[in-house]
Amino acid sequence: MLIPKKNRVAIYEHLFREGVMVAAKDFNLPKHPELESVPNLQVIKAMQSLKSRGFVNETYNWRHYYYYLNNEGINYLRDYLHLPVEIVPSTLRRAARQEGQRPRPKGFGGERPGRGEDDRSTYRRTEGFGGAEGKPAGAGADFKPEFRGGFGRGAPRAAGAQ
C-alpha cells in the first residue's frame, strides 16, 4: 500500500517514542486514535510491513493489534528517522525515582520469621480445626479405597470389542 511519507514518518516517530503501537482491527476507521492525521488502515499496513521485515512483534487480541518494537526495529527506526544513539523508546527507559517518594517498609517488626515444619503441624493440630473432640479430620490410616470397573472409559472391555 502506498502511504504518504509524512504519515509513515508520523507512525514511525510514534512507534519509536512509545515502543509499542495499538491499532483496532477496523480498516474503515477514518483516523487512528493516537495519531489524529493518519488513517487507521495506513497504521495497520505500516506495522504489517515492519512485522514482515522482523522489526516488530505482533499480538492480536480482541480485535486489536498490539505491536512491540524489538532491538532490530529500534536500530532500523533510528537510521530511518536519523536519531542519535542516546534517544531510546520509553519502554526501555527506567522510571526515575521521585525525591519525595518514601522507601518501602521491609516488614512489620523487622525481619520476617522463617516458617518451619513446626508451624504447619501446630496449625493443623489447633482446636477448632479438624473433627470433633480434637481428632484429626480426614480419612483414617485404615482407609483403603476400592476402584471397581465403572462406566465409560473405566468400564471393562467386552470380549469381542477392540
Side-chain angles (χ1 to χ4, degrees), residues 1-158:
M1 174 177 200
L2 294 175
I3 300 173
K5 184 161 183 159
K6 69 174 184 134
N7 289 356
R8 185 177 302 273
V9 168
I11 293 167
Y12 288 176
E13 282 176 351
H14 180 76
L15 177 63
F16 190 84
R17 188 178 334 110
E18 300 296 325
V20 295
M21 177 76 78
V22 178
K25 187 182 175 181
D26 186 0
F27 302 120
N28 299 319
L29 203 61
K31 49 188 170 175
H32 190 267
E34 296 170 3
L35 302 167
E36 297 300 323
S37 62
V38 181
N40 199 43
L41 178 64
Q42 291 180 2
V43 172
I44 292 172
K45 292 303 176 181
M47 292 294 107
Q48 200 174 54
S49 172
L50 290 175
K51 179 187 168 234
S52 69
R53 291 185 270 170
F55 297 141
V56 295
N57 300 329
E58 177 190 67
T59 302
Y60 180 75
N61 192 11
W62 285 50
R63 296 187 51 85
H64 283 79
Y65 293 104
Y66 298 93
Y67 298 98
Y68 309 96
L69 195 58
N70 58 25
N71 291 336
E72 293 84 22
I74 291 171
N75 293 333
Y76 172 76
L77 289 181
R78 203 174 268 144
D79 292 341
Y80 188 88
L81 299 171
H82 309 292
L83 297 172
V85 180
E86 295 82 33
I87 300 176
V88 293
S90 63
T91 53
L92 295 181
R93 281 189 219 126
R94 296 221 178 250
R97 283 190 69 161
Q98 298 172 356
E99 293 297 322
Q101 190 177 19
R102 296 184 300 161
R104 289 186 176 169
K106 297 292 183 203
F108 297 107
E111 296 266 336
R112 183 176 174 189
R115 293 190 331 198
E117 277 188 53
D118 300 337
D119 234 7
R120 290 175 185 243
S121 60
T122 56
Y123 171 73
R124 291 191 174 115
R125 301 290 178 230
T126 57
E127 277 195 44
F129 184 80
E133 299 151 9
K135 294 180 183 174
D142 59 341
F143 178 68
K144 294 181 178 95
E146 272 184 47
F147 296 104
R148 291 183 242 154
F151 300 100
R153 298 179 109 187
R157 288 190 156 195

